[in-house]
């Protein structure tokens, strides 16, 4: 029957606690290779983006990705992997990891991020300047690694 994306998700029981924000739809293609559509779950639930709630056809495959993670290591209380929440910034990530240790350097926190071409880039963030309101906080992306170095006395 004619079902929209939100109807199929509801009929499947809704999102689990491990569900991420990306929904991948692979339509059944008779005359060629299947194309794929990527829908953001948050946009699906907003009233201002009705196009996200697609009308599905028989044979379409709907897959909800798991939540993305980021990693934090170095001079934080609880280093490790954490679920990436919407709007996560470096300062929030450090708070989530229990905050800085007494030896942490706040001036040169590195964020390692894989680029589109597979090359890893290193972005240095000055958290002292962010805390002072002199710079905007930096957004954390999927699979980013935040490294808080030890301060040199």
């Amino acid at each position: 029957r004619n079902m929209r994306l939100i109807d199929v998700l509801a009929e499947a029981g809704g999102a689990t606690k491990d569900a991420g924000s990306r929904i991948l739809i692979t339509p059944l293609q008779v005359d060629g290779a299947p194309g794929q559509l990527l829908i953001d779950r948050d946009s699906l639930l907003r009233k201002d983006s009705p196009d996200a709630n697609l009308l599905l056809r028989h044979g379409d495959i709907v897959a909800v990705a798991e939540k993305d993670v980021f990693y934090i290591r170095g001079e934080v209380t609880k280093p490790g992997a954490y679920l990436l929440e919407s709007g996560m910034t470096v300062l929030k990530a450090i708070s989530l990891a229990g905050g800085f240790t007494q030896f942490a350097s706040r001036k040169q926190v590195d964020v390692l991020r894989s680029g589109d071409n597979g090359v890893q880039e290193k972005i240095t963030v000055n958290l002292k300047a962010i805390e002072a309101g002199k710079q905007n906080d930096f957004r954390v992306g999927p699979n980013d690694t935040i490294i808080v170095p030890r301060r040199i006395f």
Side-chain angles (χ1 to χ4, degrees), residues 1 5 40 45 66 68-69 75-76 88 92 94 96 108 111 115 122 124 127 130 148 153:
R1 61 182 193 254
L5 178 57
D40 183 78
L45 301 174
E66 289 184 358
D68 290 317
V69 295
E75 295 298 323
V76 291
M88 180 65 66
K92 288 178 185 177
I94 289 169
L96 193 62
Q108 292 187 324
V111 179
K122 180 170 117 177
T124 301
L127 287 178
I130 292 169
V148 179
F153 295 98

Side-chain angles (χ1 to χ4, degrees), residues 40-152:
D40 183 78
R41 189 178 72 190
D42 295 336
S43 68
L44 178 63
L45 301 174
R46 286 196 312 258
K47 292 180 182 179
D48 63 344
S49 52
D51 295 342
N53 193 16
L54 301 171
L55 181 62
L56 300 173
R57 296 179 305 172
H58 178 72
D60 288 351
I61 299 169
V62 178
V64 179
E66 289 184 358
K67 282 188 177 177
D68 290 317
V69 295
F70 69 92
Y71 306 90
I72 187 164
R73 62 188 183 105
E75 295 298 323
V76 291
T77 305
K78 297 182 286 183
Y82 291 89
L83 293 176
L84 181 64
E85 298 170 10
S86 179
M88 180 65 66
T89 63
V90 173
L91 202 53
K92 288 178 185 177
I94 289 169
S95 294
L96 193 62
F100 294 108
T101 67
Q102 64 182 350
F103 304 111
S105 171
R106 296 173 185 230
K107 287 186 178 180
Q108 292 187 324
V109 174
D110 292 328
V111 179
L112 304 179
R113 177 173 289 170
S114 293
D116 294 334
N117 55 2
V119 176
Q120 191 173 59
E121 64 177 310
K122 180 170 117 177
I123 302 126
T124 301
V125 180
N126 183 340
L127 287 178
K128 247 186 153 164
I130 292 169
E131 290 172 327
K134 296 178 181 177
Q135 289 181 358
N136 291 330
D137 203 350
F138 185 78
R139 287 257 179 160
V140 177
N143 296 314
D144 280 358
T145 299
I146 301 167
I147 303 169
V148 179
R150 185 173 279 251
R151 155 179 86 212
I152 300 173

